[in-house]
Amino acid sequence: MVTRLENFPTELFFSIFDYLWAHELFYSFSNLNARIDIIILHTQLHISSENQDIIYSPHRVLSLNLTSSPICLEEFINLRSLTLTKCNLDNLIQLPPHLSRLCIQNIDLPISNTKIIFENSTLINVQLNLHHKLTFYPSILNTDKNFSNIEYLTINYISLNDVIELLQYLTKLKYLHISLFGINKQKITNFSSIPTVTRVICLSMGISFDILCTQFLSIYFPNIRTLSIFTSYVDQNLFINSLEQLLMNNLRYVKKLNVSAQFIINRTLTTNNDNIEAISTRFRTAFWIKRNCRATFKCCNDDPHIIRLYLQTNKKTRTRPSRFLV
């Protein structure tokens, strides 16, 4: 029995079209036959800046990707995903009523827009890749700390103080991906932990690893399952001790670990191999063997006295089940 494209069920067409941008959809499937044209007419669209020559109804748009100043978003009543790249947000007053994902790239984010984002009750996934450091003032938000439903948050440029202030409003957060730059030790304020967070990815610059562990990771994320840390120059002994204490006393549920740190090695030893061997022995103890972690090292090409450590949880080997087992 021969199956033709036009005989596919309507639901299958909707599933296929959901993977295509609007211009790809129209250029590939329009005018094939009357039935497919009717299906396209009722398909929700994914619009990018390449779709300027396509005529569409705003209420049909499911996702929108813009690289220019945003148009009037009030008409996009069914919009679920919005990506703004290099756009001027001065005229952005409110977000569409059902928006669940917002990605902002290469933009200076005004404080008024910060308020709009973190007071929005429909957003689930927020990604902020900004030109400048995000500064957060609690006074810009309402006093009610339970309005945000954000579960996935990415910020590429923020201080440790600001992210701590922000976390108190994100009680439903599950995933946090941040790049930390700078800290004011005198103004750190501690709030209650966020037990819903299970995955953290953290790039730390200008913050000691000890403070990152004791003032941040150990306090706010007791139930982390997946932890990734990327940091710059650290004292190797202090780094290893802090990491072991963090995993032993605070983050006991970590199953997947990915840590990258940079050391200045002991110049009194004769070769790099001697330095690497001296460090690697610290990761051959029962503590690390039990956690199934593997340490690898890479020497810096510009300076032979700088070594970068990569500490990762080994992937579990999956054995193929026997076909004879019942």
Side-chain angles (χ1 to χ4, degrees):
M1 179 179 178
V2 178
T3 301
R4 297 182 177 180
L5 179 66
E6 55 264 30
N7 294 329
F8 284 178
T10 302
E11 293 77 8
L12 182 57
F13 276 110
F14 284 148
S15 298
I16 294 173
F17 294 164
D18 193 46
Y19 288 91
L20 303 176
W21 289 105
H23 64 282
E24 297 172 332
L25 172 60
F26 285 107
Y27 295 157
S28 301
F29 289 93
S30 62
N31 298 323
L32 291 181
N33 59 48
R35 177 173 178 258
I36 294 180
D37 284 345
I38 293 176
I39 295 175
I40 292 177
L41 188 63
H42 293 86
T43 299
Q44 292 182 309
L45 302 176
H46 303 281
I47 302 293
S48 72
S49 296
E50 300 176 10
N51 306 148
Q52 301 297 334
D53 57 338
I54 294 178
I55 300 175
Y56 56 87
S57 300
H59 72 273
R60 293 178 55 200
V61 178
L62 192 66
S63 68
L64 188 62
N65 190 335
L66 295 176
T67 56
S68 59
S69 296
I71 55 182
C72 181
L73 296 176
E74 296 178 359
E75 300 178 3
F76 294 83
I77 58 175
N78 292 316
L79 192 67
R80 297 297 189 274
S81 176
L82 175 62
T83 300
L84 302 174
T85 304
K86 297 181 180 179
C87 296
N88 185 349
L89 300 183
D90 292 340
N91 297 323
L92 182 62
I93 300 176
Q94 65 180 15
L95 297 173
H98 301 293
L99 190 70
S100 60
R101 177 188 174 274
L102 175 64
C103 179
I104 295 179
Q105 300 179 348
N106 299 323
I107 294 175
D108 291 333
L109 189 66
I111 294 179
S112 59
N113 294 142
T114 303
K115 178 180 175 65
I116 293 174
I117 293 171
F118 290 103
E119 286 189 352
N120 184 279
S121 61
T122 64
L123 283 175
I124 302 296
N125 188 330
V126 175
Q127 303 171 32
L128 304 177
N129 300 309
L130 308 175
H131 274 316
H132 63 89
K133 185 185 295 185
L134 177 64
T135 302
F136 181 78
Y137 302 100
S139 58
I140 69 173
L141 300 182
N142 293 328
T143 55
D144 183 6
K145 298 180 181 180
N146 298 316
F147 48 71
S148 177
N149 290 310
I150 295 174
E151 297 179 3
Y152 305 90
L153 178 63
T154 299
I155 303 177
N156 74 320
Y157 198 1
I158 191 170
S159 72
L160 182 59
N161 302 76
D162 287 325
V163 76
I164 289 175
E165 291 286 351
L166 179 59
L167 284 176
Q168 63 176 312
Y169 296 91
L170 306 176
T171 57
K172 299 180 182 179
L173 192 65
K174 296 179 180 179
Y175 169 92
L176 179 63
H177 185 171
I178 52 173
S179 297
L180 296 174
F181 294 84
I183 179 177
N184 186 334
K185 298 179 182 179
Q186 286 72 33
K187 293 186 178 181
I188 289 184
T189 304
N190 293 332
F191 301 99
S192 57
S193 63
I194 309 177
T196 55
V197 175
T198 59
R199 184 177 182 184
V200 171
I201 301 175
C202 179
L203 185 150
S204 174
M205 300 292 290
I207 303 173
S208 72
F209 188 77
D210 177 61
I211 290 179
L212 181 67
C213 293
T214 59
Q215 299 293 322
F216 186 58
L217 296 174
S218 63
I219 296 176
Y220 297 101
F221 314 112
N223 295 322
I224 289 180
R225 301 297 193 274
T226 302
L227 176 62
S228 299
I229 304 174
F230 305 91
T231 187
S232 54
Y233 295 102
V234 295
D235 177 88
Q236 61 190 50
N237 292 319
L238 181 60
F239 166 79
I240 297 173
N241 291 336
S242 297
L243 186 58
E244 288 180 349
Q245 291 298 318
L246 178 69
L247 296 175
M248 184 185 305
N249 300 327
N250 306 108
L251 307 184
R252 301 178 181 180
Y253 302 108
V254 172
K255 299 297 182 183
K256 186 176 181 181
L257 184 67
N258 182 16
V259 179
S260 176
Q262 199 159 274
F263 304 128
I264 297 178
I265 60 179
N266 189 345
R267 299 172 185 264
T268 61
L269 297 181
T270 56
T271 65
N272 280 348
N273 289 333
D274 294 334
N275 281 283
I276 292 175
E277 181 63 23
I279 301 173
S280 62
T281 54
R282 293 290 304 272
F283 296 100
R284 295 175 187 157
T285 61
F287 178 88
W288 293 108
I289 294 174
K290 180 180 179 181
R291 284 161 176 77
N292 194 29
C293 290
R294 175 173 56 93
T296 57
F297 301 87
K298 182 178 180 180
C299 296
C300 179
N301 294 330
D302 299 329
D303 188 342
H305 295 98
I306 296 178
I307 292 179
R308 178 156 285 277
L309 160 72
Y310 299 93
L311 180 66
Q312 295 177 312
T313 303
N314 289 322
K315 295 181 179 179
K316 294 182 178 180
T317 57
R318 297 182 178 179
T319 59
R320 184 177 180 180
S322 171
R323 64 190 178 97
F324 300 104
L325 294 177
V326 180

